[in-house]
Amino acid sequence: MRRTVLILTAALLSACSGGDGVTSSPFGVTGKVLGSDRLPVAGARVATRTGGGWRSTTTDLEGTFSLLVDGAPYDLAVIKGEQVELYVGVTRASPEVRLGVPGGTTPLGAGFTTTITGDCGGAGCPPAGHEGSGQLTFSAGTVGWMGTARPPGTAGTYSATLGGTDVATGTLAAVYWACPGACTSSAPDAFWLARQDSVTLRIGASTDVSALALAPLPTAPLAVNVTAPDGVSPQAMMGFALGTPAIYWLHAAGSAAPGASTFLMPTAPDLRTMLYVIASPAGGGTTTASWSGGTSPASPVELALHPLPVLLEPAEGATLGVGTRFAWSSEPGVHVLALVSSTPGAPDVRVTTAEQSFTVPDLAALGLSVPAGAAYVWSVRAQPSTVDARLAPASTTPPPIPPTTTISSWSTLSATRAATAL
């Protein structure tokens, strides 16, 4: 039996009309397919459709593809193994698709030895009555690694996993933080950073890296106001710090609750702090909101949690086939319909669309087959974005961080429903 179920995400595209970039003139599409490790995916099947039949090709060793479309918006399908990505209503001429599978290069192992120096309150940097923790990161363009940093003053050998390269030159950085009490329930109130640029790591070798000297990071207060719809209770808030290049680390920012809170954020010219609050309402699913900025804003940061998408059809336990309609209610934005199977040989499919419904088409031309009786669960994620934005090429070199720029975002994931393929 043909696997029309997963291919269903492609069908949505034909239903789209209007919007930015609408044109009836043919044009060429040249894009790229990357894996979860941001490395090129070779041999992926890529297909486009404007309203008639599908045109398809396969990606080359660099993960690139070129196809002609009859106009915009068009449908874009990418298939690799048992992973299917479908985008409905695309107008971008240079889409970049990220698959949830590794790229063509297996991550390789490297080792390095270094010592973190400096005094930040003792082992792990906790002053009296504090809990401390630390992260060590290496970043070189699209190559990245993160591990737990040993206590200051302790020499140690680290095992790094690097994807897609046998020699990488980048930035090695260590950050430590200390929380009053436990970091799982309180926000850090002190930060330290050690950084060394132009560090070269080689696959299969152990590199002696000069000691990294810790220095205190200045802090600034960050006022936050959390709001949530009825029935949604915030459960946790976390903080990230991101730099240029893309070094990062994670720390707990304390428990979350509706209303106002104040945290200390680390500040530096090339540092951006990010806050992330999450809630898991009864019945399953999650809703999140985040904010990032380079300096402490004059007014409180508003973190607004949004309601989860409500799944309307099909009902729990439905059978899926050509003509099955998926529908949900949600706020405006982009919606990702995910169909995940627990049956061996049955592909997983994700459909990205700005619509709030999707009808399974007969897409046997894509060459996918679905085992009869394959078990699926499906859910919908909503985000404040567009289909084209999710296909925007990512820069391999992070841009400088404007010190006062702020970005807010949210993402909501519905509970799941079960279904079975015909």
Side-chain angles (χ1 to χ4, degrees):
M1 163 146 251
R2 284 289 180 195
R3 157 143 255 151
T4 50
V5 167
L6 293 184
I7 309 173
L8 52 95
T9 146
L12 261 180
L13 287 53
S14 61
C16 297
S17 61
D20 293 341
V22 174
T23 175
S24 59
S25 302
F27 64 95
V29 171
T30 298
K32 194 164 191 176
V33 178
L34 301 178
S36 56
D37 50 10
R38 295 188 294 177
L39 297 175
V41 176
R45 186 174 184 185
V46 182
T48 58
R49 182 177 70 170
T50 304
W54 289 90
R55 292 187 176 100
S56 66
T57 186
T58 56
T59 56
D60 60 18
L61 293 177
E62 300 300 319
T64 60
F65 66 89
S66 295
L67 284 167
L68 184 69
V69 297
D70 294 325
Y74 65 91
D75 303 341
L76 175 65
V78 179
I79 304 166
K80 179 66 174 180
E82 294 179 0
Q83 297 289 322
V84 181
E85 291 279 349
L86 231 114
Y87 294 84
V88 179
V90 181
T91 64
R92 182 178 291 277
S94 58
E96 183 175 281
V97 180
R98 270 80 75 183
L99 293 180
V101 297
T105 305
T106 302
L108 303 173
F112 61 95
T113 301
T114 190
T115 302
I116 312 298
T117 65
D119 183 8
C120 56
C125 295
H130 285 59
E131 179 182 76
S133 189
Q135 292 286 354
L136 191 64
T137 65
F138 177 78
S139 177
T142 59
V143 177
W145 170 88
M146 182 176 69
T148 301
R150 290 175 172 79
T154 303
T157 299
Y158 296 85
S159 297
T161 300
L162 307 178
T165 184
D166 54 4
V167 177
T169 299
T171 297
L172 185 64
V175 64
Y176 291 84
W177 57 91
C179 311
C183 284
T184 55
S185 59
S186 61
D189 59 3
F191 302 86
W192 298 265
L193 175 67
R195 172 173 171 161
Q196 188 174 149
D197 297 316
S198 302
V199 173
T200 298
L201 301 184
R202 292 175 172 81
I203 296 302
S206 183
T207 303
D208 290 330
V209 178
S210 301
L212 281 75
L214 286 171
L217 275 173
T219 60
L222 177 63
V224 182
N225 186 51
V226 178
T227 57
D230 292 340
V232 175
S233 179
Q235 295 164 317
M237 186 179 292
M238 295 176 289
F240 299 80
L242 304 111
T244 305
I247 59 173
Y248 64 96
W249 51 89
L250 163 68
H251 63 80
S255 57
S261 302
T262 300
F263 302 98
L264 285 178
M265 58 180 282
T267 61
D270 63 347
L271 199 66
R272 174 184 288 151
T273 292
M274 183 178 204
L275 280 182
Y276 175 85
V277 64
I278 185 171
S280 297
T286 59
T287 178
T288 65
S290 63
W291 166 91
S292 67
T295 59
S296 181
S299 56
V301 169
E302 297 291 337
L303 286 177
L305 292 168
H306 290 243
L308 276 64
V310 177
L311 305 183
L312 302 177
E313 56 179 303
E316 174 78 13
T319 54
L320 307 179
V322 174
T324 299
R325 183 176 185 266
F326 290 84
W328 55 90
S329 64
S330 183
E331 300 188 25
V334 68
H335 307 113
V336 181
L337 169 64
L339 296 102
V340 180
S341 179
S342 59
T343 303
D348 295 336
V349 176
R350 292 200 311 175
V351 181
T352 300
T353 176
E355 304 298 319
Q356 291 182 294
S357 66
F358 174 81
T359 301
V360 178
D362 184 0
L363 300 178
L366 289 184
L368 291 178
S369 61
V370 175
Y376 278 88
V377 294
W378 64 280
S379 62
V380 173
R381 180 182 294 277
Q383 295 176 312
S385 183
T386 65
V387 175
D388 276 358
R390 289 179 61 86
L391 291 169
S395 173
T396 58
T397 303
I401 297 174
T404 58
T405 296
T406 60
I407 301 172
S408 60
S409 64
W410 52 267
S411 175
T412 62
L413 175 66
S414 69
T416 61
R417 282 188 180 178
T420 304
L422 291 173

